[in-house]
């Protein structure tokens, strides 16, 4: 995340707390468990960047950067559509999400491939810049943005949809704010947006009504 180590660790603590509270809420609505995982992963993401800030990206900071890259490049393209798929009950919407998930699979593989070369990390100027040895084509960045955001727009829950809108709108915003560090900045926006997912888990009485729509 941009800014500093304290900002990263603070975001990590808040996302982690939100995720834990969501796990308690999912005791009544088990299918929302996949959504509850999202803030927890973002908590780990931000903690990793906090370590990078403290170490300057060397030593354990380099390992943290590599793990960060695996989550960002390979985990989200698969998990984002799957988490939406698990929570949505409408067959038509689930089929659309399944199609998007099929796009995320090769993206995830390519994300691992680009990490086969050494990862450069520049933690300076209030931004963290990740430099992969193998380039990530710009057009694939747009495919990635669609893959990790559109599935949430297909879910009936308004708060989950709002989360999806936050992700897709913050993609160009991150590039505009700091193009070289856009991955880190975008992750920050997504992490903040994930906090609204707490409100997406409905009561037992309202969830059945949504399923019938």
């Amino acid at each position: 995340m941009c800014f500093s180590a304290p900002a990263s660790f603070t975001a990590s603590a808040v996302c982690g707390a939100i995720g834990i509270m969501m796990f308690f809420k999912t005791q009544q609505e088990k299918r929302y468990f996949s959504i509850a995982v999202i803030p927890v992963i973002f908590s780990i993401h931000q903690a990793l960047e906090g370590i990078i800030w403290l170490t300057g990206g060397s030593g354990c900071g380099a390992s943290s950067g590599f793990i960060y890259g695996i989550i960002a490049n390979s985990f989200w393209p698969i998990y984002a559509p799957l988490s939406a798929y698990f929570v949505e009950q409408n067959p038509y919407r689930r089929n659309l999400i399944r199609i998007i998930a099929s796009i995320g699979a090769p993206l995830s593989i390519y994300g691992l491939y680009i990490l086969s070369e050494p990862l450069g990390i520049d933690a300076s100027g209030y931004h963290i810049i990740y430099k992969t040895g193998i380039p990530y084509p710009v057009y694939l960045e747009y495919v990635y943005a669609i893959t990790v955001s559109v599935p949430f727009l297909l879910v009936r829950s308004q708060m989950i949809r709002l989360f999806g809108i936050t992700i897709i709108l913050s993609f160009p915003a991150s590039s505009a704010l700091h193009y070289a560090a856009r991955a880190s900045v975008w992750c920050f926006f997504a992490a903040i947006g994930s906090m609204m997912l707490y409100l997406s888990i409905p009561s037992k009485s309202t969830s059945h009504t949504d399923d019938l729509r």
Side-chain angles (χ1 to χ4, degrees):
M1 177 179 131
C2 47
F3 308 135
S4 63
S8 293
F9 286 125
T10 298
S12 175
V14 173
C15 287
I18 292 294
I20 291 172
M21 290 190 292
M22 288 177 67
F23 283 133
F24 283 108
K25 289 187 71 176
T26 58
Q27 296 305 305
Q28 291 186 333
E29 288 294 333
K30 299 292 186 182
R31 63 189 174 92
Y32 280 83
F33 180 85
S34 61
I35 295 296
V37 170
I38 292 175
V40 175
I41 300 301
F42 275 123
S43 174
I44 296 172
H45 231 195
Q46 297 307 305
L48 290 170
E49 287 213 317
I51 295 172
I52 292 171
W53 277 117
L54 293 178
T55 61
S58 60
C60 64
S63 300
S64 297
F66 182 74
I67 297 172
Y68 178 99
I70 291 177
I71 296 173
N73 296 330
S74 295
F75 177 80
W76 288 125
I78 289 290
Y79 191 78
L82 286 181
S83 64
Y85 178 84
F86 290 142
V87 76
E88 180 56 46
Q89 298 295 293
N90 181 277
Y92 176 71
R93 292 173 180 272
R94 295 190 91 190
N95 284 335
L96 292 177
I97 295 171
R98 187 185 293 115
I99 292 173
I100 298 174
S102 67
I103 300 173
L107 277 180
S108 178
I109 294 173
Y110 186 76
L112 286 177
Y113 169 66
I114 66 174
L115 291 174
S116 63
E117 293 290 332
L119 178 67
I121 303 174
D122 179 9
S124 61
Y126 300 102
H127 295 287
I128 297 178
I129 300 173
Y130 299 95
K131 303 174 183 177
T132 56
I134 300 173
Y136 199 98
V138 175
Y139 77 90
L140 278 186
E141 293 185 9
Y142 287 92
V143 176
Y144 180 105
I146 292 172
T147 302
V148 300
S149 61
V150 172
F152 297 116
L153 302 180
L154 296 172
V155 177
R156 297 298 304 186
S157 168
Q158 292 183 351
M159 294 308 298
I160 294 179
R161 285 183 179 181
L162 185 58
F163 173 59
I165 292 172
T166 300
I167 296 176
I168 200 166
L169 291 182
S170 60
F171 173 67
S174 300
S175 296
L177 286 173
H178 199 292
Y179 185 78
R182 59 193 179 281
S184 179
V185 177
W186 190 22
C187 177
F188 164 69
F189 283 128
I192 297 301
S194 72
M195 298 176 190
M196 70 180 67
L197 291 176
Y198 177 80
L199 300 176
S200 72
I201 304 177
S203 63
K204 199 81 170 175
S205 59
T206 58
S207 63
H208 294 307
T209 302
D210 289 339
D211 293 343
L212 298 176
R213 294 179 183 176

